[in-house]
Amino acid sequence: MTTTEPTPGQRAVPPAEQPYYVIDFDSTFTKVEALDILGEISLAGRPERDDVLHQIKTITDRGMSGEISFTESLNLRLDLLKAHRNHLPALIESLMGKISDSFQRNKEFLTEHADHIYIVSNGFREFILPIVTSLGIQAEHVFANTFLYDENGAVIGFDPQNPLSANGGKSQVIRDLNLGGEVYVIGDGYTDYEIRASGLANRFYAFTENVLRPSVVEKADHVAHSLDDFLYQNNLSRSQSYPKSRIKVLLLENVHPVAVQLFEQEGFKVEIRKEALDEDELIEAIRDVSILGIRSKTNITARVLENANKLMAVGAFCIGTNQIDLDTCTQKGIAVFNAPYSNTRSVVELAIGEIIMLIRSIVPKSNLMHNGGWDKSAKNSFEVRGKKLGLVGYGNIGTQLSVVAEALGMEVYFYDIVDKLALGNARKCKSLDDLLAVADIISLHTDGRKENKNLFSYREFSLMKNGVIFLNLSRGHIVDIPALVDAIERGKIAGAGVDVFPLEPKTNNEEFSSALRKLPNVILTPHIGGSTEEAQVNIGNFVPGKLLEYINNGSTYGSVNFPELQLPMLKGAHRLLHIHANVPGILAKMNAIFANYHINIHGQYLKTNEQIGYVITDVAKEYAHEVVEELKGIDNTIKFRLLF
């Protein structure tokens, strides 16, 4: 997923100079330590299971980091396991589902280079062999310990004659192999580093896809975040055009943990900040970031984007995108995605709740009781049934609020600058003035465009009925706060619910300052209309899903600034993604290049908007590197990516 890719489909290392690759098994070839999984199986149903498993994991970590010798670690774990030969089929089945993602992706590499790949592990051949051979490793290239059993099949130890049963065993195996060329070791443990320390390997790569051991990383010549990363560093053919561990994701404003998990599962490097960042802070943080995730408080300006040297996509974990300079993003070929539906229900429920609380004057009665008072009168307390609800904005939230309000017996009126089909018995007003004149309750659900600033000011409040209920759960800048305060103090507005403000604190530690504080029958909430667990989980799943589709597949469906394309999965081809200014002739120039190099096109997709064009071409895998350079060199090219 880069614009600076070595020649596709070619090896940078000629076969005659190819090194030997020595690969560890536990936590490298697989995501787990096999003996930990064996313990889960062998100790099932025992009351001491959890305690023993914790002991086994601790011993494993101490052995892997070099705190205790390998032999001591192995003896201690086998004594605790109480394993049996009958447990091995279940262990193998479990490990088959726990092969490291990057090894599964690169089965072709493992098969193609099988003559030069060795698995050297202090684990046990009984379960290692079926796992690694399933991905093309040669059985005779697998070196591991073997179990010893008693007459009943219980595991009682390991073969002491095997060099891998002793300290320094991996180094001894490599010494005995006498490979006669450069040796690269890939592993996560101290015993893997020992091969390099003994002078038997040219490079040691600390493998961190599954576990990061600081004491091992500090000894490494290189860090391999995945097998893709290792292959990339050595210019070897791989399943991905760019290792995902080299894609940096920056998530701001306390984005839900499910989003973090989704990106990390893909192998991306994720940085999390709980707070919003100002322009200077974001400029510093965004360098080398490929994916940026924000909510509503962080502003992505043109100046920020000028410093975003690697940014490919922005995810707004909210509905609005007015905090993002969409024009500049488009000009720079940066796709922007948001969550237009994920928190709709949460906002609607808050609106309904506040309408009922305000029209019943619950807030002042509750405040009075907290001070020891008691007002059991029905004064200024009304039902919502039969009242006229006026919706300013009839989009996703407005329409759903319309349906729920009507179910409560309210009459619904709406105004929107775009012609919208009315749901149920809702009635469209010809103008905003018409709506203000008829409504008993007014709820704002407009977008955040600049033109909507102070959409509601002194004039608009003067057109409302006396004693109206007023809600703003949309955008802070669309209401003139001094005008709202005046309308409340004069009694024009009998109750107000406000969730958004022109100026909001960046963090929970800053003081909230507003002239709306301490006014009667006013509900103030800290921009939490969409802040329910359900909504945040939905957004945390939805936005990363769109971003990952774009990064991994090129699909732009749901983008707010790119031409929308829903692409098929890439199979048996390379995908060339070309983003360019929307000028005539680009597609013709691209196809002329393909024709000149006799390239077979498997599929081609084009869509444009006013600013840019987006061409996706799936081509046969074999083609000259010059093709990529010529495609990048077409006039008006904004960005080019290659997927395979």
Side-chain angles (χ1 to χ4, degrees):
M1 302 170 188
T2 183
T3 59
T4 56
E5 186 63 23
T7 306
Q10 294 185 0
R11 295 183 204 159
V13 181
E17 302 174 17
Q18 184 182 346
Y20 292 92
Y21 309 109
V22 176
I23 302 173
D24 183 34
F25 181 76
D26 292 289
S27 294
T28 297
F29 203 98
T30 58
K31 301 176 183 179
V32 294
E33 294 291 322
L35 292 187
D36 292 352
I37 305 301
L38 181 56
E40 293 178 7
I41 296 168
S42 65
L43 297 167
R46 299 194 182 191
E48 73 276 16
R49 176 179 180 271
D50 291 345
D51 181 57
V52 174
L53 289 177
H54 178 71
Q55 292 181 55
I56 291 171
K57 186 179 186 310
T58 300
I59 294 167
T60 298
D61 290 340
R62 292 182 66 198
M64 288 294 113
S65 62
E67 290 183 40
I68 59 176
S69 71
F70 165 73
T71 303
E72 182 182 1
S73 167
L74 188 56
N75 275 314
L76 289 171
R77 285 181 288 166
L78 288 181
D79 285 344
L80 291 167
L81 279 172
K82 310 301 182 188
H84 192 279
R85 192 194 304 270
N86 293 341
H87 295 136
L88 295 181
L91 173 62
I92 293 168
E93 182 179 357
S94 178
L95 292 177
M96 280 293 187
K98 292 180 171 62
I99 298 173
S100 295
D101 294 337
S102 65
F103 277 80
Q104 293 190 73
R105 285 194 297 268
N106 288 286
K107 181 178 179 180
E108 186 175 339
F109 166 79
L110 299 174
T111 303
E112 181 181 346
H113 298 271
D115 289 343
H116 282 248
I117 295 175
Y118 289 81
I119 302 297
V120 179
S121 171
N122 294 121
F124 289 84
R125 187 177 176 87
E126 285 92 334
F127 56 75
I128 292 176
L129 193 63
I131 307 300
V132 299
T133 54
S134 71
L135 264 65
I137 304 297
Q138 297 178 11
E140 59 271 24
H141 283 196
V142 178
F143 295 85
N145 279 300
T146 51
F147 286 123
L148 292 180
Y149 307 92
D150 66 15
E151 63 276 10
N152 297 316
V155 174
I156 57 174
F158 48 84
D159 178 7
Q161 302 305 312
N162 189 323
L164 288 165
S165 68
N167 298 330
K170 289 188 176 182
S171 298
Q172 186 59 51
V173 167
I174 301 304
R175 188 177 291 112
D176 293 344
L177 283 171
N178 192 23
L179 295 174
E182 287 200 346
V183 175
Y184 297 168
V185 177
I186 307 169
D188 65 282
Y190 193 83
T191 56
D192 304 303
Y193 159 70
E194 286 180 334
I195 302 173
R196 175 76 169 92
S198 66
L200 295 166
N202 301 85
R203 302 181 196 173
F204 167 56
Y205 291 81
F207 190 81
T208 62
E209 180 174 340
N210 303 310
V211 63
L212 192 154
R213 308 185 197 277
S215 60
V216 176
V217 169
E218 69 181 16
K219 299 285 187 182
D221 298 295
H222 306 277
V223 175
H225 301 287
S226 64
L227 185 57
D228 301 291
D229 200 14
F230 170 79
L231 300 177
Y232 177 81
Q233 291 181 44
N234 290 283
N235 287 340
L236 292 161
S237 60
R238 56 197 176 276
S239 68
Q240 298 177 342
S241 48
Y242 196 64
K244 292 186 176 182
S245 58
R246 292 178 177 265
I247 292 181
K248 183 176 179 181
V249 181
L250 175 61
L251 300 177
L252 306 179
E253 303 184 61
N254 218 16
V255 166
H256 197 278
V258 71
V260 180
Q261 181 182 359
L262 288 170
F263 287 123
E264 288 182 339
Q265 284 176 351
E266 286 288 319
F268 296 168
K269 182 179 180 182
V270 183
E271 179 183 353
I272 307 163
R273 303 274 190 101
K274 290 186 177 180
E275 70 282 358
L277 300 183
D278 63 27
E279 189 176 55
D280 288 337
E281 291 171 331
L282 188 53
I283 286 171
E284 183 63 30
I286 206 171
R287 301 184 199 281
D288 298 323
V289 168
S290 299
I291 300 172
L292 175 63
I294 63 168
R295 293 176 74 182
S296 57
K297 294 180 183 176
T298 300
N299 290 308
I300 303 178
T301 64
R303 181 167 167 253
V304 168
L305 295 167
E306 286 297 328
N307 291 273
N309 57 319
K310 290 187 177 179
L311 192 62
M312 292 190 285
V314 173
F317 286 73
C318 53
I319 295 175
T321 56
N322 57 296
Q323 72 277 40
I324 304 168
D325 187 332
L326 294 178
D327 286 340
T328 303
C329 282
T330 306
Q331 291 165 14
K332 291 186 169 294
I334 299 166
V336 179
F337 300 86
N338 67 339
Y341 314 110
S342 299
N343 65 359
T344 299
R345 182 67 186 192
S346 297
V347 178
V348 168
E349 288 189 5
L350 180 62
I352 290 293
E354 291 196 354
I355 288 170
I356 294 172
M357 295 284 283
L358 292 166
I359 205 166
R360 292 286 298 271
S361 296
I362 297 297
V363 175
K365 285 182 169 61
S366 175
N367 291 340
L368 180 64
M369 291 185 70
H370 279 287
N371 291 316
W374 182 268
D375 177 9
K376 198 176 181 298
S377 73
K379 184 180 178 181
N380 296 322
S381 182
F382 305 94
E383 292 183 352
V384 296
R385 181 174 50 178
K387 301 301 183 293
K388 297 178 175 64
L389 172 63
L391 300 173
V392 182
Y394 203 61
N396 299 320
I397 294 173
T399 51
Q400 189 167 149
L401 179 54
S402 170
V403 172
V404 177
E406 194 170 299
L408 291 173
M410 302 176 75
E411 296 179 24
V412 178
Y413 297 79
F414 70 91
Y415 172 72
D416 198 302
I417 59 173
V418 177
D419 190 25
K420 297 288 183 69
L421 177 66
L423 300 182
N425 296 314
R427 292 168 236 184
K428 178 177 173 60
C429 294
K430 293 181 179 179
S431 68
L432 179 59
D433 289 1
D434 288 346
L435 181 137
L436 299 181
V438 72
D440 302 308
I441 302 161
I442 296 169
S443 189
L444 310 188
H445 302 285
T446 68
D447 61 36
R449 69 186 72 184
K450 295 177 182 178
E451 295 80 7
N452 283 338
K453 183 176 182 181
N454 290 343
L455 178 66
F456 275 74
S457 192
Y458 292 95
R459 176 185 177 277
E460 285 69 36
F461 290 123
S462 70
L463 296 175
M464 297 178 188
K465 291 181 177 181
N466 290 327
V468 71
I469 299 298
F470 179 80
L471 270 68
N472 181 17
L473 307 183
S474 54
R475 295 290 180 272
H477 69 273
I478 68 177
V479 175
D480 183 350
I481 297 298
L484 174 59
V485 171
D486 174 71
I488 294 170
E489 290 178 339
R490 289 190 296 107
K492 170 65 79 169
I493 292 177
V498 184
D499 185 53
V500 288
F501 307 88
L503 294 175
E504 298 179 356
K506 286 185 178 180
T507 70
N508 291 341
N509 297 321
E510 293 184 29
E511 182 181 358
F512 166 66
S513 178
S514 174
L516 293 167
R517 287 170 54 179
K518 299 182 180 179
L519 291 177
N521 204 23
V522 173
I523 299 175
L524 302 178
T525 50
H527 203 149
I528 47 84
S531 296
T532 61
E533 282 295 329
E534 293 89 347
Q536 294 309 304
V537 169
N538 288 339
I539 293 171
N541 279 289
F542 183 85
V543 177
K546 292 300 179 184
L547 291 166
L548 292 172
E549 282 184 0
Y550 177 63
I551 298 297
N552 294 337
N553 197 41
S555 292
T556 55
Y557 189 76
S559 173
V560 298
N561 68 323
F562 262 42
E564 289 190 282
L565 277 172
Q566 185 72 58
L567 300 171
M569 293 296 295
L570 179 62
K571 293 181 180 179
H574 285 188
R575 178 163 286 173
L576 313 177
L577 313 175
H578 193 274
I579 305 167
H580 55 269
N582 186 12
V583 297
I586 299 291
L587 183 61
K589 291 177 182 179
M590 292 180 65
N591 287 337
I593 293 171
F594 295 137
N596 186 46
Y597 284 91
H598 306 289
I599 293 173
N600 183 33
I601 296 177
H602 292 190
Q604 194 168 55
Y605 316 87
L606 164 66
K607 203 162 187 182
T608 63
N609 61 22
E610 292 181 357
Q611 290 181 273
I612 62 171
Y614 186 38
V615 177
I616 297 90
T617 309
D618 293 346
V619 302
K621 291 182 178 181
E622 300 301 325
Y623 53 89
H625 184 51
E626 289 78 12
V627 172
V628 171
E629 296 307 313
E630 289 194 28
L631 290 169
K632 291 181 190 177
I634 294 174
D635 289 343
N636 295 296
T637 296
I638 296 173
K639 233 170 208 178
F640 177 89
R641 285 202 298 142
L642 170 64
L643 302 178
F644 59 81

